[in-house]
């Protein structure tokens, strides 16, 4: 039986702060050290707005990744954007948070012309705040695969249009890269690692990014086998990082305050949700905005965890779970 976890707790060795990724840059030809330094300095911040992106269009090292469906992309996209649909970064329907094969991601990124020095800007649809989670999951996937010059367009495609940005229907031709995708396992948390840390009463702070009813065990997604949350987890609904009804993040100061209130400003933590989508938003805010580099993402999240025999908290009784399942079926 696992002991009740009091958060935040210290990481076990498996959850020690992961080392910073080394930034790799191709050596410029003869006597161009200054240019190489300038290239590093030109890296964009993790979150940019439409005017900032517009000012960068035409950069030789810039690659805009439109992660909407191919149909939406074809209907109009930011000039120069390449389509890499979100589904390419996800697992199967019964476990969407499962990590794709390295070979599949290598092919995807090579076809998009991305290499280690590319400045990547991830663009989502911008229909709602959940769309940001898709961009954050792609950003995280790229980062744990060795890329370091990464940004998300706040507000996505709709934000670009609202700022007066034009859309294009032409798909640009790009030269294939030779980038090889490899997961940095030090930045990824598995269910087995979490279970071992919980068993040893030595787990990180577990941050549940889902809405409150998921956390309390009142609802679940179809792919999850059980209701509830991870043992000792605390709730931090990803929607709190956005103004009501908005698709762009709150100001950085407000985001940092929310992270501090959750006890995740400078402590080891793991972000999770149902499938590592909403959790990616929380990870992005905690890691890339608030600057807590001890935060990791549990990609398979509750769907993966619930299919095992591992314990969960806030689980309803069998009778209550049955009633909830009947209600879910009737609501479909």
């Amino acid at each position: 039986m696992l002991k009740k976890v009091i958060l935040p707790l210290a990481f076990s060795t498996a959850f020690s702060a992961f080392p910073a990724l080394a930034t790799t840059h191709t050596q410029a030809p003869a006597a161009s050290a200054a240019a190489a330094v300038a290239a590093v300095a030109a890296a964009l911040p993790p979150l940019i707005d439409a005017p900032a992106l517009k000012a960068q269009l035409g950069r030789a090292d810039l690659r805009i990744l439109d992660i909407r469906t191919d149909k939406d992309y074809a209907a109009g996209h930011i000039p120069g954007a390449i389509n890499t649909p979100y589904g390419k970064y996800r697992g199967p329907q019964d476990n969407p948070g499962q990590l794709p094969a390295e070979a599949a991601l290598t092919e995807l990124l090579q076809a998009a012309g991305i290499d280690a020095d590319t400045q990547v800007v991830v663009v989502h649809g911008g229909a709602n705040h959940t769309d940001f989670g898709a961009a954050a999951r792609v950003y995280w996937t790229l980062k744990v695969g060795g890329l370091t010059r990464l940004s998300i367009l706040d507000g996505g495609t709709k934000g670009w249009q609202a700022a007066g940005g034009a859309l294009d229907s032409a798909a640009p031709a790009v030269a294939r890269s030779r980038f090889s995708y490899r997961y940095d396992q030090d930045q990824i948390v598995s269910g087995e690692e979490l279970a071992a840390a919980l068993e040893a009463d030595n787990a990180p702070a577990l941050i549940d990014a889902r809405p409150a009813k998921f956390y309390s065990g009142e609802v679940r997604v179809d792919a999850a086998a059980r209701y509830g949350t991870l043992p000792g987890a605390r709730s931090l609904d990803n929607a709190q990082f956005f103004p009501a009804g908005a698709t762009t993040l709150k100001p950085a100061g407000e985001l940092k305050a929310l992270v501090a209130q959750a006890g995740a400003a400078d402590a080891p933590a793991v972000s999770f949700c149902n499938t590592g989508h909403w959790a990616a938003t929380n990870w992005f805010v905690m890691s890339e905005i608030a600057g807590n580099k001890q935060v990791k993402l549990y990609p398979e999240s509750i769907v993966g965890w619930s299919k095992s025999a591992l314990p969960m908290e806030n689980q309803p009784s069998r009778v209550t779970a049955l009633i909830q399942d009947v209600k879910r079926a009737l609501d479909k």
Side-chain angles (χ1 to χ4, degrees):
M1 181 66 67
L2 293 178
K3 299 180 181 178
K4 182 173 181 63
V5 181
I6 301 175
L7 300 175
L9 298 173
F11 262 140
S12 65
T13 301
F15 292 93
S16 58
F18 49 77
L21 291 177
T23 303
T24 304
H25 295 283
T26 303
Q27 184 64 42
S32 56
V37 171
V40 174
L44 300 175
L47 189 70
I48 63 172
D49 59 16
L53 176 57
K54 187 174 183 180
Q56 302 299 318
L57 295 183
R59 272 178 54 166
D61 65 335
L62 179 68
R63 183 71 72 239
I64 302 169
L65 294 186
D66 187 322
I67 63 170
R68 298 175 300 159
T69 65
D70 53 1
K71 181 179 179 181
D72 289 338
Y73 172 82
H77 51 266
I78 295 173
I82 299 295
N83 188 214
T84 60
Y86 182 48
K88 300 288 187 180
Y89 300 89
R90 300 288 274 164
Q93 186 174 357
D94 63 346
N95 190 5
Q98 182 177 307
L99 298 175
E102 291 177 335
L105 291 172
T106 293
E107 170 59 29
L108 181 69
L109 298 177
Q110 285 186 357
I114 291 173
D115 60 32
D117 290 327
T118 303
Q119 171 64 63
V120 178
V121 177
V122 182
V123 179
H124 56 90
N128 51 53
H129 81 270
T130 292
D131 272 359
F132 188 94
R137 176 65 186 242
V138 171
Y139 179 110
W140 175 85
T141 301
L142 299 177
K143 183 168 184 175
V144 301
L147 296 175
T148 58
R149 307 181 73 190
L150 303 168
S151 303
I152 292 176
L153 176 61
D154 204 12
T157 303
K158 287 196 173 183
W160 171 265
Q161 289 179 279
L167 297 183
D168 192 1
S169 59
V174 296
R176 288 184 64 91
S177 75
R178 301 180 66 182
F179 181 75
S180 181
Y181 187 97
R182 294 290 182 270
Y183 285 111
D184 179 358
Q185 296 297 335
D186 287 339
Q187 298 190 64
I188 303 170
V189 176
S190 69
E192 291 77 10
E193 289 174 313
L194 273 182
L198 286 165
E199 182 66 39
D201 201 14
N202 193 27
L206 303 177
I207 309 298
D208 191 334
R210 302 173 300 166
K213 286 189 175 181
F214 284 99
Y215 173 80
S216 63
E218 298 174 61
V219 297
R220 67 175 175 86
V221 293
D222 289 343
R226 291 179 285 160
Y227 296 88
T229 190
L230 298 183
R234 62 183 60 180
S235 176
L236 181 58
D237 185 348
N238 73 105
Q240 295 183 52
F241 294 126
F242 302 84
T247 60
T248 56
L249 288 168
K250 292 178 178 179
E254 295 182 36
L255 298 176
K256 291 177 181 179
L258 288 169
V259 171
Q261 291 170 18
D266 56 7
V270 168
S271 180
F272 71 95
C273 58
N274 288 315
T275 66
H277 178 107
W278 286 327
T281 292
N282 283 20
W283 170 86
F284 181 86
V285 171
M286 290 186 284
S287 172
E288 309 301 90
I289 303 298
N292 183 0
K293 300 306 180 183
Q294 300 179 80
V295 178
K296 299 183 182 183
L297 179 72
Y298 175 24
E300 294 191 14
S301 289
I302 286 295
V303 167
W305 184 276
S306 69
K307 292 179 178 180
S308 69
L310 296 169
M312 295 178 68
E313 284 188 357
N314 300 341
Q315 277 192 270
S317 67
R318 290 185 178 180
V319 173
T320 300
L322 179 60
I323 293 172
Q324 291 176 178
D325 281 343
V326 171
K327 185 178 184 301
R328 289 176 56 251
L330 293 175
D331 288 343
K332 290 181 179 179

